[in-house]
Amino acid sequence: LAASLLLQPLVGREQLWPLLGTAGLFILAMHTVNRYQERSHYSGWGTFSPRAFQRFQQVMLWIAVLALTGALGIAVSLGWSEFFALAAFGLLGALYSIKIVPLQWARHIMGIRRIKDLPASRDIATALGWTVATVIVPLLTIGASSSLRAAGVLGFVFVLVFLRSALIGVRDVQGDKIMGMETIFKVVGKRRTKAVLISAIATLSILLLGLALPWNTFPLAGFLFLVVPYICTVCVSYHQRLLPKGAAGEILVDGQFLLAGVLTLAWHLWR
């Protein structure tokens, strides 16, 4: 919702509904597929207990299939460009944990056989997936008021989701739940991860300030700037190890999305 309204503040609600449906179903599908692919390494972290996860893993697979089918179906109604954009990234998401590079080739490229083996792949792939679903598809459907604004919205969504994924990655590494190099924390270490997070928050602030221009009316980006202090609070809490573990901690990290959604809805209804 926020990305679409940042691209085109005056877009009608009849155009917003299919965009929201496409993004929501696609993101649900990709996150569920990722959880299903990692089921053999599941140790009880996150929302479900190990017993519940084992019991409902087939249900999760069907949810992912149905959600992806629904997202692609809505995308077709929007246009073939939207469909192929989602389908291409959906294919990459499905291949994320699959060994696609032969072993004899992998020896020459640092043993990389899967997309998952690439440094910081999880953080980058998650941010790219959200960007495709929430910005690229709306951009192809409703366009943007300017190319500069389109670039700003792309950067805003990518950085916001990257921050969330990086914070979750810090928690997972500290709990020995990630063994490879798929998070930024594992690639650059604790101290440099802090620098990356600070730089990302600064970039997010600059992008929101740029998207808020001109100031002739109170812009949506001005509302969304309230997300920045929330993210800062979460980052400090992680550094001080004050956030709860498990689902409660994950919900607090995802609170940045909930806050952005509430602020966007309030702005949309108010204007």
Side-chain angles (χ1 to χ4, degrees):
L1 179 62
S4 297
L5 291 175
L6 283 171
L7 290 170
Q8 289 286 6
L10 299 179
V11 65
R13 294 178 185 176
E14 66 281 355
Q15 292 178 292
L16 283 174
W17 283 115
L19 295 176
L20 292 175
T22 301
L25 289 172
F26 183 77
I27 292 169
L28 172 64
M30 290 298 97
H31 280 281
T32 306
V33 165
N34 179 260
R35 289 290 181 94
Y36 182 81
Q37 290 176 333
E38 297 295 323
R39 65 191 183 280
S40 61
H41 305 294
Y42 187 75
S43 59
W45 52 273
T47 308
F48 297 103
S49 67
R51 190 172 182 179
F53 187 89
Q54 293 296 326
R55 180 180 179 183
F56 294 108
Q57 58 179 305
Q58 291 300 320
V59 176
M60 291 179 65
L61 178 61
W62 277 107
I63 289 174
V65 171
L66 293 174
L68 183 58
T69 302
L72 293 175
I74 299 174
V76 168
S77 69
L78 296 174
W80 285 108
S81 298
E82 291 87 334
F83 171 80
F84 286 120
L86 277 186
F89 202 88
L91 178 61
L92 290 176
L95 295 175
Y96 180 77
S97 297
I98 297 177
K99 296 176 181 179
I100 55 179
V101 178
L103 181 59
Q104 58 270 28
W105 294 2
R107 293 171 181 169
H108 303 289
I109 51 175
M110 299 182 295
I112 295 173
R113 300 191 65 188
R114 305 168 293 182
I115 298 174
K116 179 181 178 179
D117 296 330
L118 294 169
S121 58
R122 192 178 82 167
D123 297 337
I124 295 173
T126 302
L128 284 175
W130 277 70
T131 302
V132 169
T134 63
V135 184
I136 298 297
V137 170
L139 192 58
L140 292 170
T141 305
I142 61 177
S145 55
S146 69
S147 57
L148 191 60
R149 174 166 288 273
V153 177
L154 284 166
F156 163 71
V157 172
F158 182 89
V159 174
L160 185 67
V161 180
F162 179 84
L163 278 166
R164 180 265 180 194
S165 183
L167 285 169
I168 294 294
V170 170
R171 180 203 66 179
D172 293 344
V173 171
Q174 290 176 342
D176 295 326
K177 301 175 182 82
I178 293 180
M179 303 303 294
M181 300 293 288
E182 57 178 321
T183 68
I184 192 69
F185 186 89
K186 290 288 284 186
V187 174
V188 301
K190 182 177 181 180
R191 180 175 300 178
R192 290 181 180 176
T193 297
K194 292 178 185 177
V196 170
L197 293 177
I198 293 172
S199 299
I201 293 172
T203 301
L204 189 69
S205 302
I206 293 171
L207 288 169
L208 284 173
L209 288 174
L211 290 169
L213 298 174
W215 287 90
N216 51 351
T217 58
F218 196 72
L220 172 59
F223 267 57
L224 291 176
F225 200 84
L226 295 174
V227 175
V228 175
Y230 180 90
I231 296 174
C232 291
T233 302
V234 172
C235 288
V236 172
S237 298
Y238 255 107
H239 176 63
Q240 300 295 332
R241 297 178 179 268
L242 296 177
L243 286 184
K245 297 180 180 180
E250 192 165 336
I251 290 172
L252 286 174
V253 175
D254 286 338
Q256 61 188 21
F257 297 141
L258 299 175
L259 178 59
V262 170
L263 292 171
T264 302
L265 183 61
W267 179 87
H268 184 58
L269 296 175
W270 172 66
R271 74 172 180 86

